[in-house]
Amino acid sequence: MLPGVSAQDFVPDGGGLAGLRKAAADCRGCELWEAATQTVFSAGPAGARLVLVGEQPGDQEDRQGAPFVGPAGRLLVKAVDEAGIPREVIYRTNAVKHFRFTQAGPGKRRIHQTPELRHITACRPWLVEELRVVDPEVIVCLGATAVRALLGPSVRVMRDRGELLTRETSLGAKTFLVTVHPSAVLRADDQDAAYAGLVADLRIAAAALT
Ligand code: URA
Ligand code: SF4
């Protein structure tokens, strides 16, 4: 099989989340698996009502093999709590499942690199299958990469954030909410205002849960 085509060739038929997680560990759907430590799949129950979709694992996530365990993840958990969303109804995942980074030399710090459209497209079959299995009430796109993966170029984070968007998808009509990525909050000049904006958006998503 040619490498670097798409994750589709690695997605199993059936097997639920556990089957997807196991198969994703061996994905070679693009070149990002090579330099990364491991596939970072997801966290949360199959019965979750709300899905948070991030960009890609960061340095900590790559080392630990779990999503949102680094600084941005901690900020996100705090924001979710503050928005009144019970943690146990949340499934957390990323648009791209391997850490993309540059490194100047051995022992040098690994610098996050934004995934390109081809990585997002290659990895998308995992996300689609996760959403099929979990079948949440609301899908929250955290930042531009998640938006590119699920909503396409007509949706803009800063213009369209904080509104419930209903879209016809291959999985039927789905409700989406777009907001900023937690690492954008960490980078913001006014962190308090950026954090308050994230919490306000998450409250809109919370209110949409039945
Ligand atoms: N940023 C993300 O988008 N996802 C993670 O899992 C961690 C940081
Ligand atoms: Fe597969 Fe996605 Fe990793 Fe690429 S980034 S190898 S498509 S899991």
Side-chain angles (χ1 to χ4, degrees):
M1 183 192 310
L2 288 173
V5 179
S6 151
Q8 194 64 60
D9 299 330
F10 299 86
V11 174
D13 279 334
L17 282 184
L20 290 175
R21 178 185 307 279
K22 191 160 179 288
D26 297 320
C27 183
R28 305 285 184 260
C30 74
E31 82 285 5
L32 293 183
W33 67 273
E34 267 179 275
T37 309
Q38 56 191 320
T39 306
V40 177
F41 197 66
S42 67
R49 291 153 64 206
L50 184 141
V51 170
L52 298 170
V53 183
E55 181 195 61
Q56 64 170 355
D59 178 77
Q60 291 293 319
E61 289 80 14
D62 172 76
R63 292 173 199 275
Q64 297 183 40
F68 296 111
V69 292
R74 282 196 294 275
L75 184 135
L76 180 62
V77 169
K78 193 166 153 245
V80 159
D81 284 349
E82 209 161 315
I85 308 171
R87 289 185 199 179
E88 60 276 12
V89 310
I90 297 175
Y91 178 89
R92 284 160 289 151
T93 193
N94 284 301
V96 172
K97 283 56 179 170
H98 275 105
F99 179 34
R100 183 172 193 238
F101 60 93
T102 52
Q103 195 169 26
K108 288 264 163 48
R109 207 160 72 84
R110 305 189 299 174
I111 311 288
H112 164 278
Q113 234 188 338
T114 303
E116 292 175 14
L117 185 58
R118 67 194 166 88
H119 302 117
I120 298 169
T121 304
C123 212
R124 196 170 176 278
W126 293 119
L127 186 56
V128 170
E129 282 309 304
E130 292 172 276
L131 292 172
R132 188 194 308 283
V133 172
V134 176
D135 191 23
E137 293 170 23
V138 182
I139 301 163
V140 176
C141 295
L142 301 164
T145 297
V147 167
R148 285 178 100 183
L150 291 172
L151 294 165
S154 66
V155 174
R156 302 261 164 218
V157 175
M158 294 320 271
R159 190 193 59 201
D160 299 320
R161 65 179 294 180
E163 276 176 58
L164 296 172
L165 310 169
T166 305
R167 290 285 184 279
E168 246 344 290
T169 73
S170 58
L171 308 174
K174 291 284 168 199
T175 302
F176 294 87
L177 182 122
V178 172
T179 188
V180 293
H181 192 281
S183 21
V185 174
L186 292 172
R187 283 193 310 266
D189 293 331
D190 187 344
Q191 279 200 21
D192 290 346
Y195 177 76
L198 173 61
V199 172
D201 290 350
L202 290 172
R203 284 210 173 99
I204 308 281
L209 296 174
T210 53

